[in-house]
Amino acid sequence: MALDAQIKEIDQLIEERFLRHRCAEVIISMPGMGVRLGAEFLAATGGDMRSFGSADRLASLSGVAPVPRDSGRVSGNLHRPKQYHRGLQRVFYTLALISIRASPDSRQYYDRKRAEGKHHTQAVLALARRRVNVLWVLLRENRCYEPSPPQARAA
């Protein structure tokens, strides 16, 4: 019971510290991103997106962007990277899994990838890559997530 009390106390400290960060509101505005995932993201990235340069570099570091394995005449052979930040991959993979249930746009994207013949893991990784891009733009522009506006239907 004492250990449970210590864990709760530490969780509370993490939450308080995370919510004081200047980007906390932007990070937790994304569907599926809570305080714990947001804190893990900040801990893994240091909170400074300028050090990555682009969303592609962040995606590459987090292991959700495929890397080429071309050789000789063979090109277009992509695979998962061998070296990447496991913590960041966990953040974006978990974010993608949760956003499938929390966001209709994410669910639609996931279903589209499944309809293209992708396996579950491939579709989730594709969604995770997309979440990297969205989070990158939100942090760059310092604005909160807004679901896409409803599209006008043609009569």
Side-chain angles (χ1 to χ4, degrees):
M1 292 176 75
L3 186 59
D4 285 341
Q6 286 178 345
I7 290 172
K8 285 181 183 179
E9 183 180 323
I10 291 172
D11 283 345
Q12 185 65 31
L13 289 172
I14 290 171
E15 183 175 347
E16 289 172 5
R17 189 102 188 251
F18 170 74
L19 292 175
R20 285 193 310 233
H21 193 274
R22 59 181 170 75
C23 298
E25 184 180 354
V26 173
I27 291 171
I28 61 174
S29 71
M30 282 194 65
M33 183 73 91
V35 173
R36 286 187 183 163
L37 276 180
E40 285 183 46
F41 172 75
L42 285 180
T45 60
D48 185 20
M49 296 293 105
R50 291 179 301 210
S51 62
F52 296 104
S54 70
D56 296 334
R57 291 185 66 191
L58 178 60
S60 178
L61 176 70
S62 56
V64 296
V67 295
R69 184 172 38 189
D70 298 342
S71 174
R73 296 181 189 165
V74 177
S75 65
N77 191 9
L78 301 174
H79 69 97
R80 289 179 70 184
K82 291 188 183 348
Q83 295 181 354
Y84 54 90
H85 193 285
R86 304 291 196 259
L88 268 178
Q89 185 190 42
R90 180 190 162 313
V91 166
F92 286 114
Y93 192 85
T94 305
L95 174 62
L97 284 174
I98 295 170
S99 69
I100 289 171
R101 288 180 277 141
S103 170
D105 293 335
S106 295
R107 182 65 196 200
Q108 184 179 16
Y109 183 81
Y110 171 81
D111 290 340
R112 188 172 74 224
K113 289 298 175 183
R114 290 292 298 201
E116 291 174 6
K118 305 269 188 228
H119 295 287
H120 168 73
T121 304
Q122 292 171 320
V124 172
L125 282 172
L127 179 59
R129 174 64 172 102
R130 191 171 196 185
R131 297 278 99 188
V132 169
N133 290 343
V134 171
L135 185 59
W136 179 265
V137 170
L138 293 177
L139 289 171
R140 184 185 67 205
E141 296 176 1
N142 196 25
R143 64 182 176 95
C144 292
Y145 178 86
E146 298 171 11
S148 61
Q151 298 175 353
R153 293 187 178 189

